[in-house]
Amino acid sequence: MKHLISALVENKPGVLAHIAGMFAARAFNIDSLVVGRTEDPKLSRMTIVVVGDDRVVEQVRKQLAKVVPVVKVQDFVGQPIVARDLMLVSVVAPPEKRPEIVSLVEMFRGKVVDIGQKTLMIEVSGPESKIDAFINACKPYGIKSVARTGTIAMPRQAKSSPDAYGRL
Amino acid sequence: MESKPRAAASTTKTGAQIVVDTLIEEGVDTMFGYIGGVVLPLFDKLYDAPINFIVPRHEQGGCHMADAYARVSGKVGVVVATSGPGACNLVTGLATANMDSIPLVALTGQVRTELIGNDAFQEADTTGITRPVTKYNCIVEDVKDLARTIREAFHIASTGRKGPVLIDLPVDVAVSKYKADGPDEMDLPGYRVRTEGHARQISTAAKAINKSQQPVLYVGGGVISANASKELRALAEKANLPVTMTLLGLGSYDQTKPKSLDMLGMHGSAYANYAVQECDLLIAVGARFDDRVTGKIAAFAPNAKIIHIDIDPASISKNVRVDIPVVGDAKEILRELAKGVEHHERKKWFDKIADWKKKFPFRYDLDSKTIKPQYVIDEICSQTKNKAIVTTGVGQNQMWAAQFYKFTKPRQLISSGGLGTMGFGLPAAIGAQIADPKATVVDIDGDHSFNMTMTELATAVEHNLPIKVCILNNGYMGMVRQWQELFYGKRYSKTYLANPDYADLARALGAIGMTVDKKADVPKTVKEMLAQKKPCVVDFKVDREENVWPMVPSGKSLNEMDGLDILERLI
Ligand SMILES: Cc1ncc(C[n+]2csc(CCOP(=O)(O)OP(=O)(O)O)c2C)c(N)n1
Ligand SMILES: [Mg+2]
């Protein structure tokens, strides 16, 4: 099962190496790892998607918390969250297919961000499942290349609000 | 975060001077290390610093010395090395300390900041290389961070689950000047240690102990690290609990006391292993359920409820599911726990244990013509009245030392448990003797373990340390040979090497050397050895193919021990 783990870490050199090294040394299986700045310049947030049973993920959480520059660790399992991926995808798009592709992009609330001679670059964001669905929908046209950010997430504040597509 | 009082740092200092001053503020009076190009500024400041500085013959030796110094003194060990090869030579020592949770601070020189990443002369990515074998490491790129980083290193090394911390110091930082303005407090927002045990968990644990008919206390090195032996004893006495210890836990409970079950695990006592397998409550304190201790994990202590007291939350339920975890400092928790427990006689349980003890004590052939290695240890134990500090190599020598020397106090057995580092024994004896100059320090070593770091004999001679090195010389890598005998059809592949004449070697290096090849000479040679005031090496030509029994083969459960028949025949 996939777990989303969010870690607040000190924003200083070597932190990513400490964390990536720990994952490798303990043979933990990670799906994606995203690092970015937060509102506090001294802290970064890492969002990590880990694959494993509850016991493995429990160890991941504890081992992560043990890494000295890691300030806080949260496992979002069982919590309503919003989780998003951002993707840039370059799709083969000869002029006659473009209207079709553009309407597909609209259905997925994506954006065409660059127009080449034979391709369109499209930006789509959303939960992982939506991104995967968009890739599948584009496959018949031919995909030149894909760049994805990996998942970032935050817990929902209103506990009663619908879970939307936030769950992994 | 608390910080130690220190003189107002109002003068302009070089980075190297800041290092030395901060070390002294941290209470360092002894350190180990080896010089090189990029640490010249630091060594220049050490030239007239009030620090006893021991130079090993190899950085690995220096790191083991600092490690053993820490294990014996309870203080943080400090080791210095130059960049590149010097730093690389520390790796085995750091990994050894890391596996056994020993507080160390390692300082390594680094090439100038602007050269980092350029494959400069003697450049190595020291933080990259040592990251997996340290509790924490970092590089200091700005002299104004230096004092604080060193203080943080000592704090991290010596609190929580202790361990080695490495600081990499580029030479330009060591020579740049800085005048501190104002306080420079530690800044570790991600480092918190929970020391106080959860009160309700402690009372749940106390109730479980009171209800248990067949409890066993299973004690690891964490109890020694937490200086909690007294509290452990109090709990064992008050609640009437038998105590078994891991290799690193030996000494935390007096092995000459009837409630001691001695060591458990692969080469542990039959009575400890049976007791663990049959207990209804296992109280683990500062131990981590290592595979050498548990045997086949699925069959480990099958009927037991498990209490686990540990400072490291990550070690709880890592290998074995735990019913009652208590995270915190063992000393406090044991003290609290003792308040809630009652004395129960548990006669049936203790009778059963006494039967096992009677039937399967650690034994060897007393009537052999050859020198049995166990006999040598027996003799050392009785002549030192259970009071020596014992360091070991790795292999059979180490297991026999653990089985046949009966330790009475914590910090008495200094051995590489987690990593199993051959070559640890001699440098460890040096570090131990420096930490406790009055102690009798005996290195019970293997011939091939000794071969790995024997160059440090020169260090012992230089400092005139009266360490006693007892080589249990079977001419083999005995432990590996034992596995080849048992599991590889006696094909002794590469486990035999030509050895030097150790007594000659010792004399050449300025130590005393003796050789014993007659059983009858063992007692008087041990006596003579113990009387020496200089480093002394004794080459005991022991039985070449003696095996360590009992033995739980890899992948078997603790009650499936081999060799019990052999032990029984020795009665
Ligand atoms: C540095 C290192 N290399 C290899 C090993 C694997 N190993 C474990 S025990 C052993 C043999 C030890 O021989 P010796 O020191 O003579 O001890 P004995 O078992 O004969 O008492 C070896 C090679 C190790 N533990 N450490
Ligand atoms: Mg040997």
Side-chain angles (χ1 to χ4, degrees):
Chain A
M1 174 162 144
K2 283 186 183 176
H3 283 241
L4 252 180
I5 290 180
S6 169
L8 268 184
V9 305
E10 281 188 79
N11 182 12
K12 60 183 188 192
V15 174
L16 182 59
H18 277 289
I19 290 170
M22 184 280 289
F23 275 104
R26 300 212 172 256
F28 293 142
N29 195 349
I30 48 180
D31 215 57
S32 70
L33 189 157
V34 184
V35 201
R37 269 171 276 177
T38 63
E39 73 287 359
D40 181 345
K42 290 170 83 176
L43 297 176
S44 304
R45 183 176 295 282
M46 273 190 194
T47 310
I48 305 156
V49 179
V50 194
V51 190
D53 59 26
D54 286 356
R55 212 165 123 180
V56 170
V57 176
E58 172 79 358
Q59 261 299 304
V60 170
R61 202 175 53 70
K62 287 172 166 175
Q63 293 294 350
L64 202 53
K66 233 170 101 167
V67 176
V68 171
V70 172
V71 178
K72 192 177 170 192
V73 182
Q74 279 173 288
D75 181 355
F76 287 145
V77 79
Q79 272 190 60
I81 55 165
V82 177
R84 293 287 182 274
D85 261 46
L86 173 67
M87 170 172 71
L88 294 176
V89 54
S90 172
V91 180
V92 179
E96 69 278 10
K97 297 278 186 199
R98 289 191 179 191
E100 252 177 66
I101 295 175
V102 169
S103 72
L104 194 63
V105 171
E106 276 164 8
M107 272 164 61
F108 279 83
R109 298 207 195 139
K111 259 189 256 169
V112 175
V113 289
D114 186 49
I115 302 173
Q117 283 198 322
K118 296 192 184 106
T119 58
L120 288 177
M121 195 202 300
I122 298 155
E123 172 193 319
V124 185
S125 75
E128 211 183 7
S129 53
K130 175 180 156 190
I131 308 269
D132 291 342
F134 186 74
I135 292 178
N136 281 334
C138 289
K139 268 188 189 151
Y141 305 102
I143 290 172
K144 294 283 279 189
S145 62
V146 167
R148 291 173 69 160
T149 57
T151 307
I152 56 167
M154 253 192 204
R156 287 181 181 278
Q157 285 307 305
K159 295 275 195 260
S160 57
S161 66
D163 193 14
Y165 34 67
R167 300 294 293 276
L168 275 176
Chain B
M1 215 163 272
E2 107 261 39
S3 60
K4 303 194 174 114
R6 51 187 178 273
S10 56
T11 49
T12 302
K13 295 178 187 175
T14 63
Q17 189 66 53
I18 291 173
V19 172
V20 173
D21 290 353
T22 313
L23 291 176
I24 291 170
E25 280 165 18
E26 287 295 327
V28 175
D29 56 15
T30 304
M31 57 196 275
F32 304 83
Y34 208 95
I35 198 161
V38 294
V39 286
L40 274 164
L42 178 59
F43 276 71
D44 185 61
K45 297 301 175 202
L46 286 165
Y47 189 63
D48 37 23
I51 290 177
N52 180 22
F53 197 99
I54 313 294
V55 181
R57 298 310 184 255
H58 185 293
E59 288 88 349
Q60 180 191 347
C63 201
H64 292 325
M65 290 173 200
D67 170 319
Y69 176 86
R71 292 187 202 227
V72 170
S73 68
K75 302 206 300 194
V76 176
V78 183
V79 62
V80 188
T82 193
S83 65
C88 288
N89 277 349
L90 291 181
V91 171
T92 306
L94 292 170
T96 303
N98 196 45
M99 285 291 261
D100 290 349
S101 307
I102 304 304
L104 281 191
V105 169
L107 287 166
T108 50
Q110 183 54 278
V111 300
R112 289 203 308 280
T113 331
E114 84 264 19
L115 287 180
I116 291 175
N118 284 350
D119 301 325
F121 177 62
Q122 296 199 323
E123 181 189 353
D125 175 10
T126 302
T127 51
I129 291 168
T130 61
R131 192 173 294 116
V133 294
T134 49
K135 181 172 175 183
Y136 182 60
N137 72 16
C138 62
I139 179 163
V140 179
E141 289 177 295
D142 189 334
V143 67
K144 72 180 185 342
D145 298 328
L146 188 52
R148 194 195 68 242
T149 306
I150 294 171
R151 277 197 290 277
E152 289 171 353
F154 275 82
H155 179 68
I156 293 170
S158 62
T159 55
R161 177 160 172 187
K162 297 170 187 173
V165 177
L166 180 140
I167 299 173
D168 203 25
L169 182 63
V171 61
D172 53 319
V173 179
V175 296
S176 58
K177 296 203 169 92
Y178 177 61
K179 185 174 167 193
D181 50 353
D184 187 19
E185 298 307 326
M186 286 194 279
D187 181 22
L188 295 168
Y191 187 72
R192 273 175 307 266
V193 178
R194 194 158 117 203
T195 53
E196 207 179 315
H198 195 286
R200 208 175 49 230
Q201 290 295 88
I202 295 174
S203 84
T204 310
K207 278 184 206 129
I209 293 173
N210 292 338
K211 246 179 58 191
S212 164
Q213 310 283 315
Q214 310 193 151
V216 172
L217 255 171
Y218 148 49
V219 178
V223 166
I224 294 174
S225 179
N227 296 313
S229 304
K230 211 176 89 201
E231 289 74 12
L232 174 85
R233 216 173 314 137
L235 175 72
E237 301 315 326
K238 187 169 176 211
N240 199 25
L241 307 168
V243 186
T244 180
M245 289 159 274
T246 67
L247 178 70
L248 291 192
L250 288 174
S252 57
Y253 187 81
D254 183 345
Q255 288 187 270
T256 60
K257 292 271 158 60
K259 278 200 273 284
S260 170
L261 301 182
D262 305 320
M263 184 170 74
L264 81 164
M266 181 175 273
H267 291 296
S269 69
Y271 38 96
N273 288 343
Y274 283 139
V276 167
Q277 288 305 90
E278 291 204 12
C279 72
D280 63 7
L281 180 72
L282 189 69
I283 309 143
V285 193
R288 60 187 173 88
F289 298 86
D290 174 84
D291 55 279
R292 283 290 185 272
V293 157
T294 60
K296 182 178 166 186
I297 209 111
F300 176 68
N303 312 318
K305 196 173 218 173
I306 297 179
I307 299 173
H308 190 184
I309 299 169
D310 207 286
I311 190 83
D312 178 11
S315 74
I316 305 255
S317 290
K318 183 175 68 180
N319 302 336
V320 167
R321 45 125 209 112
V322 170
D323 302 288
I324 310 171
V326 193
V327 174
D329 179 56
K331 195 179 179 78
E332 289 302 311
I333 293 170
L334 289 173
R335 192 183 290 151
E336 284 306 306
L337 188 56
K339 290 181 189 161
V341 297
E342 305 150 1
H343 191 279
H344 288 283
E345 201 188 2
R346 303 188 176 100
K347 185 164 183 321
K348 260 165 98 183
W349 181 227
F350 277 100
D351 283 350
K352 201 165 190 182
I353 290 173
D355 273 353
W356 287 323
K357 275 193 165 184
K358 212 165 120 206
K359 210 158 160 216
F360 307 111
F362 288 123
R363 259 196 213 109
Y364 59 94
D365 183 3
L366 294 169
D367 305 323
S368 75
K369 295 209 167 55
T370 55
I371 303 176
K372 290 288 179 186
Q374 303 95 322
Y375 170 54
V376 176
I377 297 169
D378 235 1
E379 195 57 36
I380 295 169
C381 182
S382 62
Q383 288 201 34
T384 56
K385 303 193 173 63
N386 303 74
K387 287 200 177 91
I389 293 177
V390 174
T391 70
T392 75
V394 169
Q396 293 181 317
N397 61 88
Q398 177 184 36
M399 291 300 108
W400 286 319
Q403 291 181 338
F404 288 90
Y405 200 102
K406 301 294 174 207
F407 299 93
T408 56
K409 292 209 170 64
R411 305 189 183 279
Q412 225 190 319
L413 173 63
I414 308 299
S415 189
S416 166
L419 201 66
T421 309
M422 286 171 72
F424 181 75
L426 172 61
I430 294 172
Q433 189 77 75
I434 287 165
D436 190 348
K438 292 209 186 73
T440 299
V441 177
V442 182
D443 169 22
I444 295 178
D445 221 328
D447 44 339
H448 293 291
S449 293
F450 178 77
N451 288 346
M452 286 207 170
T453 54
M454 62 185 174
T455 181
E456 300 305 345
L457 207 48
T459 314
V461 170
E462 182 190 336
H463 294 275
N464 203 27
L465 301 170
I467 57 167
K468 290 86 173 87
V469 179
C470 302
I471 302 174
L472 302 179
N473 187 357
N474 50 16
Y476 278 114
M477 301 181 195
M479 183 57 90
V480 184
R481 186 208 54 75
Q482 177 170 345
W483 284 52
Q484 289 171 330
E485 177 187 330
L486 301 174
F487 310 120
Y488 291 88
K490 293 200 180 185
R491 287 157 56 85
Y492 295 158
S493 176
K494 322 298 180 211
T495 41
Y496 167 80
L497 301 170
N499 280 329
D501 180 322
Y502 291 112
D504 276 352
L505 177 98
R507 285 190 285 267
L509 289 169
I512 294 159
M514 304 183 214
T515 308
V516 194
D517 49 17
K518 283 191 214 55
K519 187 178 172 185
D521 294 341
V522 170
K524 68 167 193 258
T525 313
V526 169
K527 191 165 172 219
E528 208 182 317
M529 168 188 88
L530 291 172
Q532 299 304 324
K533 301 276 182 278
K534 294 211 303 183
C536 174
V537 176
V538 186
D539 181 357
F540 291 94
K541 306 276 193 199
V542 298
D543 193 327
R544 301 205 52 200
E545 298 200 10
E546 181 69 2
N547 285 334
V548 182
W549 302 120
M551 175 177 190
V552 179
S554 253
K556 289 277 166 67
S557 66
L558 284 189
N559 49 328
E560 298 175 281
M561 283 167 279
D562 285 347
L564 292 184
D565 50 334
I566 297 169
L567 295 181
E568 275 189 292
R569 258 183 271 129
L570 287 173
I571 300 180

